[in-house]
Amino acid sequence: MEGVLLDPAQLAKAAVDIASDKKASDILLLDIREVTVFADYFVICSGTNPRLIQTIAETIDEELGKQGARLLHREGTADTGWILMDFGDVVIHIFAPKEREYYRLERLWSDAKTVVYLQ
């Protein structure tokens, strides 16, 4: 499958699978096409500590890159408890539990359709 450019839905689902494989928790895939124009999907997940958050981010970047996706922008660090990864149509948020509770993206984007939720 290397080098095959995935459509946004496939890319988002691949990110969910990768996060799950790397032991991310509370993984949520939101279809935000009806509520905004800047992206199609949000993937939101949590990591229990900075090392895990970093591993999840690095693995998503590496694995999606193998499938033709390009990371356009990255913000935050594992030490701040939040990493945002922008792949264009798919935006991935990786949080520490405390920061996820603080930002409450699920509530902010509650009009979006939930595609996948894995605890």
Side-chain angles (χ1 to χ4, degrees), residues 25-37:
S25 56
D26 292 326
I27 305 168
L28 181 62
L29 171 54
L30 295 176
D31 180 341
I32 59 173
R33 292 176 294 183
E34 307 273 318
V35 268
T36 189
V37 295

Side-chain angles (χ1 to χ4, degrees), residues 18-81:
I18 294 162
S20 178
D21 289 347
K22 286 293 162 190
K23 308 294 184 234
S25 56
D26 292 326
I27 305 168
L28 181 62
L29 171 54
L30 295 176
D31 180 341
I32 59 173
R33 292 176 294 183
E34 307 273 318
V35 268
T36 189
V37 295
F38 71 81
D40 291 347
Y41 297 95
F42 269 1
V43 175
I44 305 169
C45 64
S46 298
T48 51
N49 60 61
R51 176 182 271 160
L52 181 58
I53 292 168
Q54 186 63 35
T55 298
I56 294 165
E58 287 174 355
T59 307
I60 287 173
D61 187 17
E62 188 178 310
E63 294 301 317
L64 293 185
K66 286 180 187 173
Q67 297 178 35
R70 243 185 64 230
L71 180 61
L72 303 176
H73 184 74
R74 180 178 167 151
E75 281 184 40
T77 65
D79 291 331
T80 64

